[in-house]
Every structure is written in structure tokens, then in C-alpha cells.
């Protein structure tokens, strides 16, 4: 059979974009993680369902497609199809995928190319999703051809997948729901920034059993909840005399839990770079979760679905047991009892077999009012155990879940603070680096205090962060939110300099110098030293002989800052005393302060100075056991 290029030579020249002549990644590019387009703007669905061109015979028993995503197809004639099926599919894409969809029933090759030319533009640079339902036409061929009608609908014509790709100047994603779908994989592997989901292997067909719809793969991807419930009932149809479904009250919880579970299985099963590729684009993330279910459902019919980039097998993951139990709980128990039993089961399992998959699941329970606080406490405990746990949590959707809350609790804000110390935080989740400031309006002091710590870490790791509007909040809570109010205000003053025009606030932090907690005394020395207030030198001098090395180290730093503003010989003598301090850390800080003074930098360069107390804060939050140090002595590690 001749290919499209030989049948219609001009077509390729007209539809192919000259600016996109090389979409193949080089060998060097394939080794690195590709830059993924952030949004899918449109979907094209080609419903190739009509099988009328092949003469039926007793040797060719072919199943007819009956449904599209569990919605009935009333006819297969391309000239007279059911509009309700088209509208149902459009609604699914809008509701679940968040993108618009155009549907063509049994299109010709020319129609396909026209659609690609219309929607496959790169302005703006968004992704185009192509969904191919090949339930009625020829299966894709080994040379990379898909089959569509000719213009007169008298025969099927091939369209090479590489020509289809070159017809678009934007990144692409594919869903191939057809027999022998994975035969196209070899032609897509080297395409840059391209995703593909294949219903079956190159030597497999769609389900032959009448127990399963032909569009089962697409149903898993687009409507995972309904498909998961249907499949569960199919497998357990003999358990009950009458079919039993989860109540409407339990449906909302079960719906959210399934999505959290699918995310957890994917998160735990795939390498971090692959997981991040699939979840960078919201539409791809939704299809990714559906594909997790598809692998489990399809393999039960001995059909092996696959994807590009290649994914590890997820059909037999141990977390699937939690889903089966969740359905049984929601069928037989009230919502509150079912959720508590399921939550306790997840916690007990994690305690026995530590698994990073717990973070997406507990992130969902954060949004369940009856379990939100205990879930937050358990999350903080798990994250605070090791650096590996912190990294795993930062890679998950946990930061985004907390940042989406209108009023996060104290524990949730402490979780964000912990995640902000992750070395890859800026690369993994933007929400970690840009914490919300709604805590400033809270009437609960503990929430304001935790929010201040969260912002402290954000300012410490970003030279461009600006939270100057929080200065008044720090001044209003000098004692009850110490030491974090003093630390945050000191950082904002040092970074903002004269632009903040703050005066007279040092006096409010003087009482902290007599605190029994060394972290509060050290923070007070820091903020008073940064204030440029006339009372600062005398207040700092009194702390030179403090019994805490942390406090004396900060005294050295503050003396250095004050000496750049005023000439006071007594401060020079005190700095010399600190250079002979018994603590090596204090000696080092004093020498650094003297070097800073001798450098004679202008005051505007204060933002470039390394602040020892802030370094200590970041290290303390980063190390395991931070949750216990938070309210006792945050600098306990350095003591």
C-alpha cells in the first residue's frame, strides 16, 4: 500500500511548518531531562470507528465499538453519528483534562491534516493532545502508519506518524487506543518533549472479551474513578447477592482518595526525573494518573499498556490493596468511620514499611477536616526523620496542597519550613520558595510564629524575595513570636536597609535579652544590632559575657555591623575580647566581623554579608529533630 507522501506530494509541502524541520533530540539531549511545556491547550480526538469497508465473513469475527468512555455509541456510520457521544467526550475533556476538545468521526487524511494545521501552532507554545480511537479501522503498521479514510471514503489511506508530527509546530502528546498501538513507539522515542500512551503492545489487540468495553484504555485515562469502580464490581460481582455501590456520601471521599493513591503509586514507582516530566503539565499529570490505573486493569485481560517516556510497571504495586479496602469500607461503613479506618491502616503500614508513597496519600487527608490536624502532625514527624524523607516530601504534591489552603495550620506551616531547607526546593516546587503571607492576619499567635519562620527561610534562600510589609507584624509580636519575629525583622532590615525607614523598634526587643532561652537572646542581639538605634551599642555590650556561645557569636556579628556606622573604641576592644573567646565558633565570628569592618564597605552592601545566626537557623530546621527544637531552643544543635 502506498503511503500518503507518494499519493499526494503537495500535501506535505503545504501543511508542514518549515521552522520545525528537526524535532528529533540529539544523543546529548536525550541524556538530560527535557524542558517540558507547562500546559496542554487543546485536544484532537479522531474516532475511527467505522468498519464497513471490510467484508464480514465467518473467519473475521470483529467486535464493534459500543461505548466511548462508558457513553453509548448509537451508530457507526460516519455520515450519521450520535451528537450525544461527541458532546459527552467534550465534557470529559473539559472536566477532567482542563482543555478544549475537537472531535472528528472517521475523518479523511485531508481532514486530519487540516485540523493539525489549525490547532498545532506554537503561538502560544502550548501542547496539543492527539487522541486516536482506532477501534474500527486498520491497526497501525510497523512502518509507522495510521489509517484514515480517503476523501471519497472509498478506502483507507495511511498517514505516517512522522508526517503527522511535522505538521505541527508545537509539542505533542498522543493517546493510541487501538490494536498493536505500541508498534508506533519506535517512531516516537527520539521525539523531543513528546508524550505517548499506548493501549497495548505491538503484538496485542484490544479486549476480545465481551466483559470489557473496547475503549477501556481511554476510560481509564479520562475517567479513572468510574472505571475503577466498574472494574472492582466486575471482579467481585459474586460476593453480594445484589450489586452494592459506595453511597453518595462516601463517593466524594473515595473519588479524592483514588487520585491520591494513583499519584502515590506513580510517585513511588518512577524515577524522580520521569515523575517530574509527567507532572509538570497538569493535563499530562491527569493522564499519568489514569495510566497507573490502566496498567492494572489492562493487564488483567493480558494486555500490556505502555507509555513514552517509558514507565516502570505499576500494575502489581502493594498500594492497590489500600484501594480495594477503601471501596469495601465505603460500601459497608459510614464516611467518618471508613475514613478513620483507612487512615489508621495507611499509618500502620507506613510505620512497618516506610514508603515515600505515604506523602501524596497524607496530603489528601490534609484536606479532610476530621483528620487534617493529625495528618499534618504525622507528616511533620515523618518528614523530620531524615534528609531523604524531606527530599521525598518536597518532590511530592505536598507543598502545593498546603499552599492552596486558605488558612494553613501551625503544623502545616512548619512542614513548609522544613521543606524549604531542601537543597532542590527551588527546582522541585515553586510554592516552597514563595510562601503565602496570609498567616499575618491570623489571630492565633502560634500560626503567626510558624509563618514567620517559614518566611525567614524563604528570605534566607532568595536574595530577591521581598516581604517588607511583614515588618509591622514582627514589631507587633516581639515577645510572643520570639525568636522568629526578631530573626525575620532583622533579615528584612538588613536586606531592605534605609529603604524601609524603620525607627525605634529596637526597644521592643530589649526584654528578650533577659530571656531564659538562648535562641531568644541571640535573636534579640541580632535585630537590635541591625536597628541602627542609639540604644543598640549599650544593649549589645551587656551581652558580651553571656554564657551561650550562640549569643556571643551573634554579639560579634552585631558589633561588626554597628562599627561600620559609628566609631566607638570600646566596641573595638570588645571585638578583641571575643577574638580570644574559649569557643572556636565565637573566635571565627569575631575575626570575620573585624575583616568586614576593615573592608570599609558601604552600608548598602549589608545584604551581601553572611549572617551566622541565619545560617544556624537553616541548619537547625534542616536537621532531623527540628519539630522538638522549634519551641524549646531552635539553636540547640549549635550549643
Amino acid at each position: 500500500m502506498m503511503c500518503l507522501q507518494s499519493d499526494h506530494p503537495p500535501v506535505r509541502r503545504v501543511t508542514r511548518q518549515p521552522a520545525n524541520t528537526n524535532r528529533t533530540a540529539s544523543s546529548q539531549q536525550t541524556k538530560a531531562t527535557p524542558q517540558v511545556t507547562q500546559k496542554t491547550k487543546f485536544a484532537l480526538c479522531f474516532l475511527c470507528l467505522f468498519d464497513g469497508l471490510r467484508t464480514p465473513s465467518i473467519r473475521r469475527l470483529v467486535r464493534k465499538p459500543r461505548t466511548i468512555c462508558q457513553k453509548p455509541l448509537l451508530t457507526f456510520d460516519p455520515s450519521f453519528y450520535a451528537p450525544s457521544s461527541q458532546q459527552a467526550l467534550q465534557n470529559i475533556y473539559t472536566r477532567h483534562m482542563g482543555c478544549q476538545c475537537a472531535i472528528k468521526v472517521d475523518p479523511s487524511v485531508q481532514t486530519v491534516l487540516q485540523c493539525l494545521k489549525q490547532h498545532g501552532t506554537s503561538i502560544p507554545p502550548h501542547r496539543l493532545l492527539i487522541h486516536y480511537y482506532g477501534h474500527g479501522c486498520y491497526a497501525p503498521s510497523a512502518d509507522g502508519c495510521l489509517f484514515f479514510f480517503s476523501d471519497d471514503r472509498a478506502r483507507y489511506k495511511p498517514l505516517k506518524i512522522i508526517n503527522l508530527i511535522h505538521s505541527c509546530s508545537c509539542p505533542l502528546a498522543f493517546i493510541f487506543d487501538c490494536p498493536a498501538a505500541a508498534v508506533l513507539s519506535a517512531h516516537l522515542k527520539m521525539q523531543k518533549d513528546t508524550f505517548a500512551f499506548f493501549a497495548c503492545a505491538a503484538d496485542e489487540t484490544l479486549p476480545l472479551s465481551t466483559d470489557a468495553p473496547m475503549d477501556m484504555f481511554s476510560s481509564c485515562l479520562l475517567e479513572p474513578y468510574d472505571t475503577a469502580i466498574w472494574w472492582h464490581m466486575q471482579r467481585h460481582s459474586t460476593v453480594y447477592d445484589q450489586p452494592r455501590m459506595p453511597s453518595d456520601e462516601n463517593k466524594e471521599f473515595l473519588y479524592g482518595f483514588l487520585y491520591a493513591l494513583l499519584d502515590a503509586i506513580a510517585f513511588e514507582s518512577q524515577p524522580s526525573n520521569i515523575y517530574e516530566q509527567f507532572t509538570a503539565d497538569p493535563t499530562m499529570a491527569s493522564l499519568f494518573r489514569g495510566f497507573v490505573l490502566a496498567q492494572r486493569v489492562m493487564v488483567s485481560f493480558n494486555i500490556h499498556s505502555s507509555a513514552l517516556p517509558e514507565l516502570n510497571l505499576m500494575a502489581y504495586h502493594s498500594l492497590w490493596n489500600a484501594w480495594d479496602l477503601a471501596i469495601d469500607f465505603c460500601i459497608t461503613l459510614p464516611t467518618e468511620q471508613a475514613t478513620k479506618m483507612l487512615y489508621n491502616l495507611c499509618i500502620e503500614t507506613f510505620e512497618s514499611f516506610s514508603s515515600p508513597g505515604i506523602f501524596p496519600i497524607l496530603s489528601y487527608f490534609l484536606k479532610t477536616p476530621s483528620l487534617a490536624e493529625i495528618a499534618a502532625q504525622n507528616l511533620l514527624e515523618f518528614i523530620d526523620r531524615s534528609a531523604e524523607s524531606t527530599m521525598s516530601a518536597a518532590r511530592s504534591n505536598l507543598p502545593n496542597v498546603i499552599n492552596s489552603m486558605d488558612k494553613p495550620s501551625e503544623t502545616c506551616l512548619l512542614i513548609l519550613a522544613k521543606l524549604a531547607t531542601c537543597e532542590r526546593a527551588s527546582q522541585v516546587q515553586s510554592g516552597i520558595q514563595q510562601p503565602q503571607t496570609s498567616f499575618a492576619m491570623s489571630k492565633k499567635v502560634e500560626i503567626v510564629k510558624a509563618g514567620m519562620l517559614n518566611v525567614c527561610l524563604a528570605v534566607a534562600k532568595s536574595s530577591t524575595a521581598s516581604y517588607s510589609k511583614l515588618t509591622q507584624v514582627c514589631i507587633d509580636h516581639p515577645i510572643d513570636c520570639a525568636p522568629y519575629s526578631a530573626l525575620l525583622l532583622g533579615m528584612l532590615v538588613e536586606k531592605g536597609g534605609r529603604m524601609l525607614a524603620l525607627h525605634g523598634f529596637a526597644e521592643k526587643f530589649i526584654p528578650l535579652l533577659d530571656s531564659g532561652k538562648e535562641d531568644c537572646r541571640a535573636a534579640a542581639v541580632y535585630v537590635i544590632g541591625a536597628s541602627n538605634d542609639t540604644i543598640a551599642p549599650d544593649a549589645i555590650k551587656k551581652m558580651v559575657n553571656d554564657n551561650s556561645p550562640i549569643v556571643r557569636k551573634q554579639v560579634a556579628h552585631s558589633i561588626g555591623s554597628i562599627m561600620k556606622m559609628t566609631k566607638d573604641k570600646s566596641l573595638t576592644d570588645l571585638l578583641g575580647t571575643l577574638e580570644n573567646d574559649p569557643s572556636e565558633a565565637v573566635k571565627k565570628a569575631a575575626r570575620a566581623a573585624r575583616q568586614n569592618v576593615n573592608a570599609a564597605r558601604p552600608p548598602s552592601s549589608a545584604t551581601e554579608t553572611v549572617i551566622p545566626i541565619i545560617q544556624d537557623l537553616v541548619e537547625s530546621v534542616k536537621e532531623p529533630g527540628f519539630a522538638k527544637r522549634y519551641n524549646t531552643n531552635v539553636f540547640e544543635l549549635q550549643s
Side-chain angles (χ1 to χ4, degrees), residues 399-455:
N400 289 336
V401 170
I402 296 178
N403 275 288
S404 66
M405 296 178 177
D406 293 332
K407 297 179 180 179
S409 66
E410 175 193 17
T411 310
C412 287
L413 291 173
L414 293 181
I415 290 173
L416 282 183
K418 183 74 179 179
L419 299 183
T421 63
C422 178
E423 292 181 0
R424 293 182 59 207
S426 59
Q427 302 173 13
V428 177
Q429 296 284 359
S430 60
I432 300 175
Q433 290 296 302
Q434 298 177 352
Q436 54 176 285
T437 58
S438 59
F439 68 86
M441 306 299 293
S442 176
K443 296 181 179 180
K444 296 182 179 180
V445 173
E446 61 271 16
I447 292 180
V448 177
K449 184 177 178 180
M452 287 179 176
L453 170 62
N454 198 20
V455 176

Side-chain angles (χ1 to χ4, degrees), residues 276-306:
E276 290 163 15
Q277 284 184 53
F278 275 95
T279 54
D281 179 346
T283 301
M284 291 302 103
S286 180
L287 293 175
F288 184 32
R289 288 191 293 267
F291 182 78
V292 178
L293 175 66
Q295 278 200 334
R296 189 192 193 200
V297 173
M298 299 295 281
V299 80
S300 66
F301 294 91
N302 200 27
I303 298 174
H304 302 85
S305 302
S306 58

Side-chain angles (χ1 to χ4, degrees), residues 91-99 221-226 255 259 282-283 286-287 289:
N91 292 341
I92 289 172
Y93 265 95
T94 303
R95 186 170 66 253
H96 294 292
M97 301 292 105
C99 64
L221 265 59
L222 300 183
E223 288 199 319
Y225 175 77
D226 292 339
Y255 184 94
Y259 277 81
T283 301
S286 180
L287 293 175
R289 288 191 293 267

Side-chain angles (χ1 to χ4, degrees), residues 356-415:
I358 195 67
F359 296 120
I361 293 176
L362 291 189
S363 296
Y364 172 67
F365 282 108
L366 283 179
K367 297 181 286 187
T368 305
S370 61
L371 295 170
E373 186 54 34
I374 188 173
Q377 292 172 0
N378 284 327
L379 272 169
L380 181 58
E381 178 187 347
F382 296 154
I383 292 170
D384 205 22
R385 289 181 178 179
S386 65
E388 291 76 13
S389 297
T390 305
M391 175 62 78
S392 295
R395 284 181 46 234
S396 72
N397 64 338
L398 177 58
N400 289 336
V401 170
I402 296 178
N403 275 288
S404 66
M405 296 178 177
D406 293 332
K407 297 179 180 179
S409 66
E410 175 193 17
T411 310
C412 287
L413 291 173
L414 293 181
I415 290 173

Side-chain angles (χ1 to χ4, degrees), residues 48-63:
C48 301
L49 308 175
F50 185 55
D51 194 38
L53 299 182
R54 293 190 286 178
T55 305
S57 69
I58 196 170
R59 292 184 178 183
R60 192 178 67 81
L61 301 177
V62 179
R63 287 191 66 198

Side-chain angles (χ1 to χ4, degrees), residues 560-578:
S561 299
I562 295 173
M563 288 177 63
K564 298 187 72 170
M565 304 296 175
T566 181
K567 301 298 182 181
D568 188 336
K569 187 177 183 304
S570 62
L571 292 176
T572 305
D573 296 339
L574 290 176
L575 200 57
T577 301
L578 293 173

